[in-house]
Amino acid sequence: MVRAISNRASSATRQGALLGAAFRDLHGARVHGFALLVTLGEQARASSIASDALAAGAENAASLRHPERAAAWLRARVVAAAGHRTPKSRQASWAARRAALGQLGADERTFAGLAALTVVERAALVALDVEQLDSRDAEAALGLSTAALERVTTRARHSVAAWIAAGDSSAPPEDGDLGRRVREAADRALS
């Protein structure tokens, strides 16, 4: 009897570990990328925030009521953590942040546009225009109503459009994927 209970507990532990690993494999790279964009290229902070969110997600994977909404749940944790201030002494330099986002395809104008946004505005823009999440998932991730998400996203797109337009127009934008998607979002704001 004791052996049967021990075997069931051991099997449940293995299943939980496998589910957690699958959860991290499925969501890890995208959550880290989202965190990197929301923290504006603070690599160490983004890694820490994404790791914490993934660990919590892996721990709760079996109990998530709507597994298809796990992306929103994870991003909500990232946005909440990214909203907390980091002491200046622990923040990455602007050059390091630009370099980190440059690796994702953000040119100087795109970086400047993203830097002008609040964490929530950046998260809305990234969720909807870069990651192309469903609006319900973006609403859940940001804890906003449909109308509030629309206002925040419109404000973010207009702000980025202004920064991109204010850039050196003689220098063509670099064609990184991130820069292209952010510019497309800014273009939508202007049309």
Side-chain angles (χ1 to χ4, degrees), residues 102-175:
Q103 291 176 354
L104 297 178
D107 60 10
E108 285 291 324
R109 288 189 247 179
T110 303
F111 180 84
L114 292 172
L117 304 177
T118 67
V119 168
V120 171
E121 290 169 340
R122 211 168 21 252
L125 186 80
V126 171
L128 289 172
D129 295 325
V130 175
E131 289 193 311
Q132 299 176 335
L133 291 182
D134 180 270
S135 61
R136 290 173 300 174
D137 288 335
E139 291 165 12
L142 295 161
L144 298 174
S145 67
T146 302
L149 177 63
E150 190 173 311
R151 282 191 303 275
V152 167
T153 306
T154 298
R155 190 171 53 240
R157 288 172 180 158
H158 278 94
S159 181
V160 168
W163 276 95
I164 290 174
D168 179 9
S169 60
S170 66
E174 296 171 19
D175 276 344

Side-chain angles (χ1 to χ4, degrees), residues 76-93:
R77 293 189 70 98
V78 168
V79 171
H84 299 310
R85 298 272 181 224
T86 306
K88 291 269 186 208
S89 61
R90 291 182 44 215
Q91 289 182 358
S93 72

Side-chain angles (χ1 to χ4, degrees), residues 2-54:
V2 171
R3 179 176 266 171
I5 291 172
S6 175
N7 285 343
R8 275 187 253 139
S10 182
S11 176
T13 301
R14 278 192 305 274
Q15 285 178 331
L18 288 172
L19 182 59
F23 189 85
R24 284 187 296 275
D25 289 346
L26 180 63
H27 295 286
R30 291 201 55 186
V31 169
H32 182 264
F34 182 80
L36 190 60
L37 289 167
V38 171
T39 62
L40 194 62
E42 285 191 74
Q43 290 181 310
R45 188 165 174 234
S47 291
S48 175
I49 289 170
S51 293
D52 290 348
L54 286 165

